[in-house]
């Protein structure tokens, strides 16, 4: 814009000189030539020292404003203008190199974050999610980062991500959400451009905790099983001897009652030992639709009267590598627990299969009594039970089998009042 102004002024000067020449009488033109020569010299000086440097500065400002660091200003052959050109080219080179360096650093940090086994979720200055790495999506069970980006943490899909908002800034807590998985969540911040920016780190503790728990209860169960079986064996031997030497009917009844109780005690301990002796799964390709379909008649027999079992298989085959016998035990345990949670005369159990991303999904839901949040957090702890005469073996065995299949799962009552057991098996 400024160059155009200077160009207009030069044109006005030329027109003024031309008009002067045209209007003056011929006898007075002799002093016009020196004026024209002087005007030409001043014009050239104006062009070299003002117009061209101004043009170069304007072009350089346009390049910087558009962040075009790939183009360069051309030399003009004018000393002052070329000095400005060299200055701008040097500055543009430095800006380009700095931007490339920053991008390399950003890409390097992004690769580190993506490769990290810890989940990372970054927030902007307003507290909205700007990014979440693959580990975070995997740990929280979120399929698409678009479900998080641009939202506040409390707006995240219901699940672990929403539970994380309860961790206070600058602290870390162990978070557990309706399944066997455990995490340590860090809520931290750093200062960027003078403002506080928050982020979350999520670390899986499941394997370490489960290994420690398994080693502890295996040792306890083996010890108890050994001592009880040995003791009960001796007691039952004495009872058999007494039964052979007495004819008193009352004493015979007492001996038989004691023998039955000893047998029940051995069976009780053996049921816990079955969890310890659980074999490693022998995985083979199976279609979940077929596996569950074969079980439906049996499942209809084990549920309480008045409870209907409805199976809705996926349209196509849902093929996964599983141990058929172990997984059938899982389905039986889940359906049996679902049936027992229905306290009224009539109820429904729904079984569906499907595919979500890289996972095969089995969902077993019921309209029985809801599970409150406190119980939901305890359900998959070893041998935890809410039943009056329960042993806590069913869910312990179920979680152990699913974990050995590399599955993720969750049992909870959703806001619509339906209790859902969702299982994700890797395909």
């Amino acid at each position: 814009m400024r160059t155009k102004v200077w160009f207009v002024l030069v044109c006005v000067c030329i027109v003024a000189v031309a008009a002067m020449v045209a209007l003056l009488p011929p006898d007075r033109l002799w002093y016009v030539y020196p004026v024209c020569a002087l005007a030409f010299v001043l014009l050239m000086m104006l062009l070299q020292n003002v117009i061209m440097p101004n043009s170069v500065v304007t072009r350089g400002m346009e390049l910087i404003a558009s962040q075009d660091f790939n183009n360069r200003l051309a030399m003009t052959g004018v000393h002052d203008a070329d000095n400005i050109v060299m200055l701008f080219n040097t500055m543009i080179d430095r800006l380009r190199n700095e931007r490339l360096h920053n991008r390399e650093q950003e890409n390097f940090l992004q690769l580190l974050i993506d490769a990290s086994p810890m989940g990372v979720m970054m927030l902007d200055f307003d507290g909205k999610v700007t990014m979440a790495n693959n580990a975070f999506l995997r740990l929280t069970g979120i399929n698409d980062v678009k479900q998080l980006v641009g939202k506040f943490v409390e707006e995240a899909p219901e699940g672990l991500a929403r539970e994380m908002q309860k961790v206070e800034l600058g602290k870390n807590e162990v978070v557990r959400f309706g399944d066997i998985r455990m995490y340590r969540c860090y809520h931290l911040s750093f200062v960027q451009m003078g403002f506080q920016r928050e982020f979350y780190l999520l670390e899986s503790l499941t394997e370490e905790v489960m290994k420690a728990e398994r080693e502890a209860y295996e040792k306890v169960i083996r010890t108890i099983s050994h001592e009880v079986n040995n003791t009960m064996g001796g007691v039952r031997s004495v009872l058999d001897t007494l039964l052979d030497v007495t004819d008193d009917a009352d004493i015979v009844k007492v001996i038989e009652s004691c023998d039955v109780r000893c047998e029940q005690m051995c069976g009780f301990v053996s049921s816990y030992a079955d969890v310890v002796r659980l074999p490693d799964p022998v995985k083979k390709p199976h279609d979940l639709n077929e596996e569950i379909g074969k079980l439906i008649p049996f499942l209809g027999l084990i549920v309480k009267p008045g409870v209907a079992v409805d199976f809705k298989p996926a349209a196509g085959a849902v093929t996964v590598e599983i141990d058929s016998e172990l997984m059938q035990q899982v389905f039986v345990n889940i359906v049996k627990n679902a049936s027992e949670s229905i306290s009224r005369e009539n109820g429904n159990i729904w079984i569906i299969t499907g595919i979500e991303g890289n996972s095969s999904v089995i969902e077993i839901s019921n309209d029985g009594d809801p599970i409150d949040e406190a119980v939901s957090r305890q359900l998959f702890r070893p041998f935890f039970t809410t039943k009056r005469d329960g042993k806590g073996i069913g869910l312990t065995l179920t979680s152990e089998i699913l974990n050995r299949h590399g599955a993720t799962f969750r049992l909870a009552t959703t806001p619509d009042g339906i209790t859902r057991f969702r299982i994700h098996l890797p395909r």
Side-chain angles (χ1 to χ4, degrees):
M1 184 66 183
R2 292 179 180 178
T3 303
K4 293 180 180 179
V5 173
W6 285 111
F7 179 76
V8 172
L9 290 176
V10 170
C11 291
V12 171
C13 291
I14 294 173
V15 172
V17 172
M20 185 184 298
V21 172
L23 295 174
L24 287 175
D27 58 340
R28 295 184 179 181
L29 290 176
W30 62 270
Y31 63 84
V32 172
Y33 298 109
V35 172
C36 291
L38 179 61
F40 179 76
V41 171
L42 292 175
L43 180 61
M44 293 303 297
M45 292 178 63
L46 180 66
L47 180 65
Q48 293 182 2
N49 295 287
V50 178
I51 296 178
M52 294 187 68
N54 182 74
S55 176
V56 170
V57 170
T58 302
R59 176 58 178 161
M61 295 298 293
E62 290 175 353
L63 291 177
I64 294 176
S66 63
Q67 295 188 1
D68 184 0
F69 301 145
N70 294 319
N71 291 324
R72 297 291 180 273
L73 298 178
M75 291 295 183
T76 63
V78 179
H79 181 269
D80 291 338
D82 287 347
N83 286 338
I84 297 175
V85 169
M86 293 176 62
L87 176 63
F88 266 97
N89 287 344
T90 301
M91 183 170 59
I92 288 175
D93 284 337
R94 290 182 178 178
L95 289 173
R96 183 179 65 86
N97 292 334
E98 185 66 24
R99 185 167 70 170
L100 289 175
H101 177 71
N102 289 337
R103 286 183 177 177
E104 288 175 355
Q105 291 295 320
E106 289 177 1
N107 291 336
F108 178 69
L109 291 175
Q110 187 64 46
L111 290 173
L112 284 179
I113 291 174
D114 289 339
S116 171
M118 293 186 68
V120 181
M121 182 173 69
M122 299 290 300
L123 309 182
D124 60 16
F125 298 116
D126 296 324
K128 294 183 178 180
V129 179
T130 58
M131 66 81 63
N133 68 349
N134 294 329
F136 186 88
L137 299 179
R138 185 182 69 255
L139 293 174
T140 57
I142 297 175
N143 295 323
D144 192 347
V145 71
K146 294 179 181 178
Q147 296 179 273
L148 289 174
V149 173
K151 299 180 180 179
F152 293 103
V153 179
E154 57 267 23
E155 297 175 341
E158 183 180 3
L160 184 62
R162 187 178 294 184
E163 286 292 305
M164 292 170 56
Q165 67 170 321
K166 299 177 183 179
V167 181
E168 297 181 13
L169 181 62
K171 296 185 178 180
N172 67 86
E173 295 181 10
V174 175
V175 179
R176 191 167 186 167
F177 188 72
D179 60 16
I180 200 170
R181 296 170 295 171
M182 299 180 67
Y183 310 90
R184 181 170 296 279
C185 177
Y186 299 83
H187 186 185
L188 306 172
S189 67
F190 59 90
V191 176
Q192 184 181 19
M193 296 186 294
F195 295 93
Q196 181 175 268
R197 188 169 177 181
E198 300 179 17
F199 66 97
Y200 289 87
L201 297 178
L202 195 62
E203 178 185 13
S204 176
L205 303 177
T206 305
E207 293 300 325
E208 291 78 3
V209 173
M210 287 186 60
K211 182 179 179 181
E213 287 181 345
R214 188 183 299 112
E215 291 176 351
Y217 69 66
E218 283 181 358
K219 184 176 181 180
V220 171
I221 289 174
R222 285 196 178 96
T223 302
I224 293 176
S225 178
H226 179 268
E227 294 298 325
V228 169
N229 288 331
N230 285 346
T231 302
M232 291 299 102
V235 171
R236 296 188 70 183
S237 178
V238 172
L239 292 175
D240 288 340
T241 301
L242 291 176
L243 192 62
D244 292 336
V245 299
T246 182
D247 294 328
D248 191 308
D250 293 334
I251 295 178
V252 169
K253 288 182 179 180
V254 171
I255 292 174
E256 290 177 347
S257 176
C258 291
D259 186 64
V260 169
R261 184 54 189 153
C262 289
E263 185 178 1
Q264 291 175 344
M265 178 63 70
C266 292
F268 180 82
V269 174
S270 296
S271 63
Y272 283 100
D274 290 339
V275 178
V276 178
R277 293 192 295 264
L278 184 68
D280 290 330
V282 179
K283 300 179 184 179
K284 295 180 180 179
H286 291 279
D287 182 3
L288 288 176
N289 294 337
E290 294 182 2
E291 292 299 309
I292 298 176
K294 292 185 298 185
L295 273 178
I296 292 300
F298 176 74
L299 297 178
L301 297 175
I302 65 173
V303 298
K304 298 192 302 185
V307 176
V309 179
D310 182 22
F311 176 42
K312 296 180 180 179
V318 184
T319 304
V320 289
E321 289 197 356
I322 57 174
D323 186 310
S324 178
E325 294 183 2
L326 292 179
M327 288 303 299
Q328 285 184 7
Q329 185 62 49
V330 167
F331 300 143
V332 170
N333 288 345
I334 296 174
V335 170
K336 187 172 182 295
N337 285 342
S339 173
E340 293 173 350
S341 71
I342 302 174
S343 57
R344 60 182 187 277
E345 292 184 0
N346 298 313
N348 297 282
I349 297 175
W350 300 278
I351 306 175
I352 63 173
T353 59
I355 297 174
E356 293 182 5
N358 294 324
S359 299
S360 297
V361 180
I362 310 103
E363 181 178 286
I364 302 176
S365 54
N366 68 84
D367 55 2
D369 299 336
I371 303 173
D372 61 49
E373 185 176 352
V375 173
S376 179
R377 294 176 182 275
Q378 302 289 328
L379 281 175
F380 293 100
R381 291 187 182 276
F383 312 115
F384 172 82
T385 182
T386 57
K387 301 174 185 176
R388 190 170 186 178
D389 56 348
K391 305 174 188 176
I393 292 177
L395 284 180
T396 301
L397 187 64
T398 297
S399 63
E400 186 71 21
I401 293 174
L402 291 176
N403 186 61
R404 295 192 185 191
H405 279 79
T408 59
F409 51 94
R410 185 188 172 214
L411 172 60
T413 301
T414 53
D416 58 4
I418 303 298
T419 300
R420 290 180 168 85
F421 198 126
R422 284 181 64 84
I423 304 170
H424 290 256
L425 285 164
R427 300 191 68 200

